[in-house]
Amino acid sequence: MADTTAPSTTAPTSTTAPGRRKAVSLTRTPTWAWALPPVLVLALGFLYPLALVVRQSFTPESLEDGGASLTPYTEVFASTVFREALTTTVWLAVGATVGCLVLGFVLALVIAFVPFPGGKAVARFIDVFLSFPSFLITLALLFIYGSVGMANGAWTGVTGAAEGPFHFLTTPWGVLLAEITYFTPFVMRPLLAAFSQLDTAQLEVASSLGAGPVRIVRQVILPEALPALAAGGSLVLVLCLNEFGIVLFTGAKGVTTLPMLVYSKAILESDYPAACVVAVVNIALSVGLYSLYRVVSRRAGA
């Protein structure tokens, strides 16, 4: 009888699960080589111009042969214009952020928890609103509240006065209104996402225990919304700090922010070292606030 225990000459079967194939390297190119092209693009498109700005900020006009000096920084920091621009930038950014947080929280509450016709369409419109340019909102406000806008036109038509009473758009309050109008949806978007994940059973239990709407908002909804409020507020603060179009289009007299000061020094006065100093300060503030925004966003799960 033939021996049936002879060793098999067939290839061993693979232990890989059905439907899966063992990963095979298609190339022997080092990993760092794949990272090199994007790093070069980033370096040439962003890091190199940024380095030029920083270098120019240490090069006064008297040392354009390549010498470095702290003179541009001392001159800019000692100027009243810079200190006023820094103060104006900070208080406008903080004021707009507070306004956006309050208005955004109230509007998000209404959209999320008060049923009304067209509520879903309004929520979707907020996503579209985020893509609008800032000057478009400013232009709309000018049509309504400008010196020859609809509000002043209606006033003069009814009273017969020579001019209307609405002239606040050319003041810091007009810039503040425009920034709150434009940036409020940036707060509402994370809030609506947070409200959509809120367990409605908590609201029903609180209501069954006799809690009123104000108490439910304060003790149930607000604690759940705090991470989203912090993330949205941090983002708005960074955006308001760097806003240029709104200030420019309102034409507010006496309102000079850091971005406007960079424009004025570089374009109108051709003082490039001073413009670069202001730009470096603005970049430092933005990076610091953006780092805070990233920390808050991670904790909020955004």
Side-chain angles (χ1 to χ4, degrees), residues 162-188:
E163 60 180 15
F166 304 104
H167 302 287
F168 62 89
L169 281 183
T170 57
T171 67
W173 301 108
V175 176
L176 190 64
L177 173 63
E179 290 187 348
I180 291 175
T181 303
Y182 179 69
F183 289 112
T184 293
F186 288 82
V187 174
M188 295 176 62

Side-chain angles (χ1 to χ4, degrees), residues 205-220:
V205 170
S207 179
S208 64
L209 294 177
V214 176
R215 188 174 181 182
I216 292 176
V217 171
R218 187 179 68 251
Q219 296 185 354
V220 180

Side-chain angles (χ1 to χ4, degrees), residues 217-244:
V217 171
R218 187 179 68 251
Q219 296 185 354
V220 180
I221 298 178
L222 184 58
E224 297 292 333
L226 284 179
L229 277 172
S234 301
L235 177 60
V236 169
L237 187 61
V238 173
L239 295 176
C240 290
L241 191 71
N242 298 285
E243 181 55 40
F244 176 77

Side-chain angles (χ1 to χ4, degrees), residues 29-296:
T29 305
T31 304
W32 61 266
W34 292 102
L36 187 59
V39 169
L40 289 176
V41 171
L42 178 64
L44 294 176
F46 175 74
L47 296 180
Y48 178 66
L50 179 61
L52 291 179
V53 170
V54 175
R55 188 184 69 175
Q56 184 68 34
S57 69
F58 288 98
T59 307
E61 295 180 352
S62 59
L63 296 175
E64 289 187 351
D65 55 349
S69 174
L70 291 175
T71 302
Y73 282 87
T74 57
E75 292 179 350
V76 170
F77 290 168
S79 65
T80 304
V81 175
F82 171 76
R83 292 196 296 268
E84 291 179 352
L86 179 60
T87 302
T88 302
T89 302
V90 171
W91 87 258
L92 279 176
V94 173
T97 301
V98 173
C100 290
L101 288 175
V102 175
L103 182 60
F105 182 71
V106 173
L107 294 178
L109 277 178
V110 173
I111 294 175
F113 299 108
V114 179
F116 63 93
K120 293 183 178 180
V122 173
R124 285 192 292 267
F125 174 74
I126 292 174
D127 295 334
V128 178
F129 188 91
L130 297 178
S131 64
F132 288 176
S134 59
F135 71 84
L136 185 62
I137 304 303
T138 308
L139 193 61
L141 291 176
L142 287 173
F143 282 143
I144 299 174
Y145 298 109
S147 57
V148 292
M150 293 186 296
N152 284 319
W155 179 273
T156 56
V158 172
T159 63
E163 60 180 15
F166 304 104
H167 302 287
F168 62 89
L169 281 183
T170 57
T171 67
W173 301 108
V175 176
L176 190 64
L177 173 63
E179 290 187 348
I180 291 175
T181 303
Y182 179 69
F183 289 112
T184 293
F186 288 82
V187 174
M188 295 176 62
R189 194 65 196 90
L191 278 175
L192 291 174
F195 290 160
S196 65
Q197 299 177 0
L198 183 64
D199 188 5
T200 56
Q202 300 180 29
L203 306 180
E204 296 174 357
V205 170
S207 179
S208 64
L209 294 177
V214 176
R215 188 174 181 182
I216 292 176
V217 171
R218 187 179 68 251
Q219 296 185 354
V220 180
I221 298 178
L222 184 58
E224 297 292 333
L226 284 179
L229 277 172
S234 301
L235 177 60
V236 169
L237 187 61
V238 173
L239 295 176
C240 290
L241 191 71
N242 298 285
E243 181 55 40
F244 176 77
I246 288 178
V247 183
L248 182 65
F249 269 78
T250 55
K253 299 178 181 179
V255 180
T256 302
T257 59
L258 291 180
M260 286 293 296
L261 186 59
V262 173
Y263 173 81
S264 175
K265 291 291 184 182
I267 305 301
L268 303 181
E269 302 178 18
S270 298
D271 189 355
Y272 295 107
C276 291
V277 170
V278 180
V280 169
V281 173
N282 204 359
I283 291 170
L285 291 175
S286 301
V287 171
L289 289 176
Y290 179 74
S291 301
L292 175 63
Y293 164 69
R294 293 301 303 169
V295 171
V296 173

